[in-house]
Amino acid sequence: LDKAIKDNSGKTKEDYTEDSWTAFDKAMTNAKDVQKNADATQEEVDAAAKALNDAAAGLVKKPAPVEVDKTAL
């Protein structure tokens, strides 16, 4: 779980679509909560790590802004 959190901590909301970021952010928050919980079971730790990695894999990059040629206007 520590590795999953560390590997995915550098991602920024601005780079991804809103829907994919929302799922990722929820998984990251849950993973950090489980990480802080000294009473978390191994199953909870494994599930949080899997959910975070799956959400990270599901992140969708925002399309690059398209430059519009306005010279013909």
Side-chain angles (χ1 to χ4, degrees), residues 2-12 21 24 28 32:
D2 292 340
K3 181 176 179 353
I5 291 171
K6 182 180 177 189
D7 289 349
N8 292 294
S9 289
K11 296 180 178 9
T12 58
W21 182 262
F24 172 77
M28 179 63 85
K32 288 179 178 180

Side-chain angles (χ1 to χ4, degrees), residues 4-61:
I5 291 171
K6 182 180 177 189
D7 289 349
N8 292 294
S9 289
K11 296 180 178 9
T12 58
K13 180 178 183 176
E14 293 75 25
D15 294 336
Y16 301 98
T17 62
E18 185 175 341
D19 289 343
S20 68
W21 182 262
T22 299
F24 172 77
D25 191 46
K26 182 178 177 183
M28 179 63 85
T29 299
N30 181 59
K32 288 179 178 180
D33 289 345
V34 171
Q35 183 186 43
K36 292 176 192 173
N37 181 0
D39 295 326
T41 66
Q42 187 62 51
E43 287 178 351
E44 291 170 323
V45 171
D46 293 345
K50 181 179 181 336
L52 179 55
N53 286 327
D54 289 350
L59 282 170
V60 177
K61 286 261 188 193

